[in-house]
Amino acid sequence: MNFADHTADLLALRPGDPGYDDELAGFQTGFAQRPAVVFTAASAEDVNAAVRYAAEHNVPIGVQATGHGLPGACAGGVLVTTRRMDRVTVDPEARTARVQAGVRWGQVVAAAEPYGLAPLNGSAPSVGAVSYTLSGGLSILAREFGYAADHVRSLDLVTADGRLRQVTRESDPDLYWALLGGGHNFGIVTELEIGLVPVRTLYGGSLAFDGREVDPAALLRAYEEWTRTVPDGLTSSFAAVPYPDIPALPPQLRGRYVVSVRVAYTGTGGEQLVAPLRESGPVLADSLREMPYAESHTIHSDPDFPHAYYGDSAVLSELDVERAGEVLAAVGPDAGGPMCVLQINHLGGALARPAPNSVPYREGRFLVRLLAVGDRDAARAVLDPAFALLAPVTIGRALNFAFGAGDRTDGLYDAGTQKRLAELKSSYDPANLFCRNYNLSACR
């Protein structure tokens, strides 16, 4: 069947065509994609047409919304871009939002804010809402409300058989379970209905220290001890960032090694809860305050410009501060190699509650994320030994934070979850048409 038989409106771009490279451009500049054809989707029907085309030509298909995370290798195959599908609709009475496949979290925050509601978004407003949620979704309020995937009401998607489906926990419990945690391995999701939470303001921000003046390992020990005392409603992370001395950065950050604790809390008494952290050493910067939820992106102030990066993660059964201190030294400013950013997220709380989805490792107590700027090989030369130091307390990896490492299947799921996902993959996508993130067929 000729592609034109599917739809006359869907634009197909091939290597060398005007607009091909621009369509592939995104936030991640470190990895190149060269699919045989790129389809620019503006509707669920467009996505359906692209999936049918891929199935009929027996080629793999991936999806790219915003470019923060790129699809797995689909050489010779099809890529669907969904950035034009960017509608957000909020139902304030039901406390829900419907978000299309190309929507970024900043749009959802802005749409929900007038009603005193908030989504369970991550730290960067430019991240795509759908892919983030399908891989679990560790929000800035995660310990209070759980994973973003835990709050999905329904999913609209196109499956490998070319069907447009609406999936709920009641209508398709197996597929619902697999989609929420399994990424884009079971179809291309065109729209989500998500639950919103009644949050208008929070106490949050960052408490930063100069890592040259205060021992980062001592700060980490103080942080770990502090996490044992905080309520489930307080979500936090520890970060260590060696900033380069470049004009693009604010003067106060150039050339500094900044170690910080980031906090988000919707309860009362936030100032009293963070008081022990302020005693850890002289404070370089303090942005902790009561803020509208619409300003929550300032807690982490993630970079908003495209760049090359590679990273991975380790879910830990406990935070062994001695081993983590060795990791700090291994990726710090005196270690040589590429610039590395370390972040340690405190898990537990609502994240540990069971849910009807495939998000794994809910028993994890901490998540270590390492990200290196620049070349993949140079990054792995530093990051792989660092993660090896944590191996004795590592129980797995997090799909949301496999930045360029998503082609590795080891550790993404526990054995039981992996087995069930692989069985469902065989049922819903026997030809392994969908190649987003990683290849579940390799787990069979």
Side-chain angles (χ1 to χ4, degrees):
M1 181 180 292
N2 188 287
F3 179 73
D5 295 335
H6 295 288
T7 174
D9 299 322
L10 185 56
L11 178 63
L13 299 171
R14 293 174 171 79
D17 286 349
Y20 175 89
D21 291 331
D22 290 341
E23 193 65 23
L24 293 176
F27 191 81
Q28 167 65 272
T29 64
F31 312 114
Q33 298 183 92
R34 304 299 293 178
V37 58
V38 179
F39 292 137
T40 62
S43 66
E45 290 73 25
D46 288 348
V47 174
N48 189 321
V51 170
R52 290 172 60 197
Y53 174 90
E56 290 167 12
H57 289 78
N58 193 30
V59 294
I61 183 169
V63 58
Q64 176 177 320
T66 68
H68 254 264
L70 299 183
C74 294
V78 171
L79 182 71
V80 181
T81 58
T82 61
R83 67 190 64 173
R84 295 164 183 80
M85 300 171 63
D86 61 354
R87 185 176 67 246
V88 179
T89 306
V90 172
D91 182 338
E93 297 299 321
R95 292 182 178 176
T96 60
R98 294 196 63 84
V99 297
Q100 288 191 311
V103 168
R104 301 169 188 251
W105 275 125
Q107 298 170 254
V108 190
V109 171
E113 189 269 340
Y115 306 105
L117 300 172
L120 293 178
N121 55 286
S123 59
S126 58
V127 166
V130 169
S131 293
Y132 161 100
T133 302
L134 297 183
S135 295
L138 186 65
S139 84
I140 60 173
L141 299 176
R143 280 176 42 83
E144 182 175 4
F145 295 107
Y147 288 99
D150 301 345
H151 296 259
V152 173
R153 307 289 181 86
S154 67
L155 310 93
D156 294 356
L157 76 154
V158 181
T159 45
D161 56 7
R163 288 180 57 191
L164 281 165
R165 304 181 185 224
Q166 185 171 87
V167 171
T168 68
R169 181 182 178 184
E170 293 72 29
S171 68
D172 299 273
D174 284 340
L175 186 54
Y176 177 90
W177 178 89
L179 285 164
L180 296 171
H184 288 283
N185 256 291
F186 299 88
I188 296 182
V189 173
T190 60
E191 191 164 333
L192 293 179
E193 182 181 16
I194 60 173
L196 303 173
V197 295
V199 173
R200 187 182 295 275
T201 63
L202 55 77
Y203 176 82
S206 173
L207 197 64
F209 305 85
D210 189 327
R212 299 289 192 185
E213 296 181 1
V214 181
D215 179 10
L219 289 172
L220 178 60
R221 182 178 297 279
Y223 172 71
E224 191 276 337
E225 292 174 353
W226 176 75
T227 61
R228 301 178 197 175
T229 69
V230 300
D232 284 354
L234 191 150
T235 303
S236 68
S237 63
F238 173 96
V241 184
Y243 287 99
D245 188 1
I246 57 175
L249 292 173
Q252 67 271 24
L253 294 180
R254 294 176 193 170
R256 285 190 181 272
Y257 183 31
V258 178
V259 181
S260 61
V261 176
R262 290 87 168 260
V263 172
Y265 179 55
T266 65
T268 59
E271 278 290 322
Q272 290 74 30
L273 287 172
V274 302
L277 293 174
R278 289 199 170 95
E279 299 173 2
S280 300
V283 174
L284 175 66
D286 182 349
S287 65
L288 289 166
R289 67 194 190 280
E290 290 286 339
M291 65 174 71
Y293 192 83
E295 296 178 9
S296 60
H297 64 278
T298 64
I299 295 173
H300 292 75
S301 295
D302 292 324
D304 59 0
F305 52 87
H307 58 283
Y309 54 97
Y310 174 90
D312 210 340
S313 63
V315 183
L316 307 184
S317 58
E318 61 179 311
L319 183 57
D320 183 326
V321 291
E322 297 301 328
R323 294 182 183 277
E326 294 177 26
V327 173
L328 268 171
V331 301
D334 300 325
M339 172 187 170
C340 293
V341 176
L342 177 145
Q343 181 165 311
I344 301 176
N345 291 78
H346 183 206
L347 305 179
L351 294 167
R353 299 172 190 164
N357 56 51
S358 53
V359 181
Y361 306 123
R362 290 177 179 266
E363 72 276 24
R365 294 197 60 236
F366 290 89
L367 171 70
V368 174
R369 299 157 54 182
L370 292 175
L371 184 148
V373 176
D375 176 77
R376 183 201 304 248
D377 292 338
R380 292 199 63 169
V382 176
L383 268 52
D384 287 356
F387 280 116
L389 292 169
L390 298 171
V393 289
T394 297
I395 60 176
R397 300 163 58 215
L399 185 58
N400 268 135
F401 306 109
F403 299 123
D407 53 343
R408 289 178 46 216
T409 61
D410 59 294
L412 290 174
Y413 300 98
D414 59 88
T417 300
Q418 182 170 293
K419 182 176 185 292
R420 185 180 176 191
L421 282 171
E423 290 170 349
L424 292 171
K425 176 75 168 176
S426 297
S427 175
Y428 286 100
D429 185 17
N432 194 33
L433 190 68
F434 301 108
C435 58
R436 170 73 165 131
N437 288 323
Y438 60 97
N439 182 359
L440 265 178
S441 62
C443 302
R444 295 174 189 168

